[in-house]
Amino acid sequence: MAAKSVEVFSTGCLIEVVWSVRRGTESDRDWSMVTDQCFNRGRYRLDSENGRGGALRFGVAFPDGRKATTTQLYPGMFDGTEQVTGPVLMMSGGGGGTGSDDEVSASTKFWLWPLPLAGDTRVVAQWDDIGMKEESIIVTGEQLRTAAAKVQKYWVAPAPD
């Protein structure tokens, strides 16, 4: 698994993650389950009791101690009835995948809000179902600040008549 890119916007960023799994000694049935997990990003395997399961878990730790994971739901996230305070991390689609009898590769994107501009942000991933223990990387606030300073509007809406 690798963080392929971070696409910076004025308010947040998209983190694109890619992965590739090679077949070992798995039976056809077991390999089918691995490929299903890879194509579905493990999202259907969350254990309702502890929110963990063996699915892909992705998270961020901000320099000030705040954390967000893809297993969290935030009040008002979807219906707009309550104010949402950050950070928020959610799967944002994108990506795709390909597979064969020997290898499967896929990708997805995660939306992170707000954009962490100060200090180092730790990005963490773990995916027990495909044998990946917890791993992390650091994204520096300096890199994000530099990119955010270059953000430009694609278009400006005309003023109403």
Side-chain angles (χ1 to χ4, degrees), residues 36-74:
D36 182 59
Q37 285 294 301
C38 287
F39 291 141
N40 291 307
R41 298 172 301 278
R43 63 181 169 209
Y44 303 113
R45 289 275 329 277
L46 291 179
D47 179 345
S48 60
E49 288 184 27
N50 63 22
R52 291 179 62 152
L56 171 60
R57 290 187 287 151
F58 199 79
V60 294
F62 277 48
D64 63 7
R66 295 179 297 158
K67 296 178 181 179
T69 71
T70 54
T71 60
Q72 293 172 302
L73 290 179
Y74 301 89

Side-chain angles (χ1 to χ4, degrees), residues 74-112:
Y74 301 89
M77 254 174 99
F78 303 106
D79 62 9
T81 60
E82 299 177 40
Q83 184 175 354
V84 178
T85 58
V88 172
L89 179 69
M90 55 195 290
M91 200 170 284
S92 187
T98 184
S100 69
D101 289 342
D102 300 317
E103 183 178 350
V104 61
S105 299
S107 65
T108 195
K109 294 180 180 180
F110 297 94
W111 172 252
L112 174 62

Side-chain angles (χ1 to χ4, degrees), residues 16-33:
E16 184 176 10
V17 178
V18 297
W19 57 88
S20 184
V21 179
R22 287 195 178 150
R23 186 174 184 172
T25 60
E26 293 89 0
S27 67
D28 287 348
R29 178 184 171 94
D30 289 344
W31 182 243
S32 175
M33 292 173 70

Side-chain angles (χ1 to χ4, degrees), residues 78-150:
F78 303 106
D79 62 9
T81 60
E82 299 177 40
Q83 184 175 354
V84 178
T85 58
V88 172
L89 179 69
M90 55 195 290
M91 200 170 284
S92 187
T98 184
S100 69
D101 289 342
D102 300 317
E103 183 178 350
V104 61
S105 299
S107 65
T108 195
K109 294 180 180 180
F110 297 94
W111 172 252
L112 174 62
W113 171 87
L115 186 61
L117 295 176
D120 293 340
T121 298
R122 182 172 298 278
V123 179
V124 182
Q126 180 175 347
W127 200 344
D128 290 338
D129 279 351
I130 62 170
M132 185 182 138
K133 301 298 180 197
E134 183 177 299
E135 297 287 342
S136 66
I137 60 168
I138 298 291
V139 178
T140 69
E142 182 179 342
Q143 291 170 311
L144 296 173
R145 275 193 310 277
T146 299
K150 297 177 183 178

